[in-house]
Amino acid sequence: MTVVRAYRLALDPTPSQARVLERHAGAARFAFNWALAAVKANLDQRAAETSYGVAADMLTPTLGWNLPALRRAWNQAKAMVAPWWTECSKVLRTGFDGDIDVPWVLRSRVTGLHADLS
């Protein structure tokens, strides 16, 4: 039998450290929301083109929902959409990876379902 232990601890950051933590959390959320909006815009554009009778081979290219594709798209766009991004630690800057199943979350939000991330 496997035993899983969890520990709860409280952070007591200084005001300066609290601002840094808030900046990192905000940056991660910004990147996630950007990726969600990019995927939704791509799907909407392709749907509109399809409704106008555009041939399948002439549709706007799809934007991949996997982590490598989202990272590539983010890396291309971040200088323009988030010039402050370099102020955040690289370890915490990815915004849309980690323990969350990114494609599932994006699919659920794009289709109107809500993901439970708690």
Side-chain angles (χ1 to χ4, degrees):
M1 178 168 81
T2 302
V3 176
V4 178
R5 292 182 186 204
Y7 298 93
R8 180 178 287 202
L9 57 104
L11 298 178
D12 186 21
T14 65
S16 175
Q17 291 168 329
R19 283 190 299 278
V20 171
L21 289 170
E22 290 166 356
R23 184 181 328 132
H24 288 306
R29 189 64 184 178
F30 183 90
F32 181 87
N33 287 340
W34 176 90
L36 177 62
V39 168
K40 180 113 174 71
N42 183 263
L43 291 172
D44 290 346
Q45 178 64 34
R46 289 176 58 84
E49 291 170 355
T50 301
S51 73
Y52 299 144
V54 175
D57 61 335
M58 298 298 291
L59 293 175
T60 298
T62 59
L63 176 62
W65 291 20
N66 58 39
L67 182 58
L70 290 172
R71 273 206 179 137
R72 277 192 299 276
W74 174 249
N75 285 336
Q76 291 174 348
K78 69 184 173 188
M80 187 168 41
V81 299
W84 43 264
W85 190 256
T86 57
E87 298 171 15
C88 297
S89 167
K90 183 171 180 150
V91 172
L92 300 174
R93 282 198 305 217
T94 52
F96 36 77
D97 64 342
D99 296 330
I100 298 173
D101 181 356
V102 175
W104 183 85
V105 171
L106 288 175
R107 259 187 229 103
S108 66
R109 295 212 179 157
V110 167
T111 59
L113 301 174
H114 296 287
D116 181 11
L117 301 179
S118 56

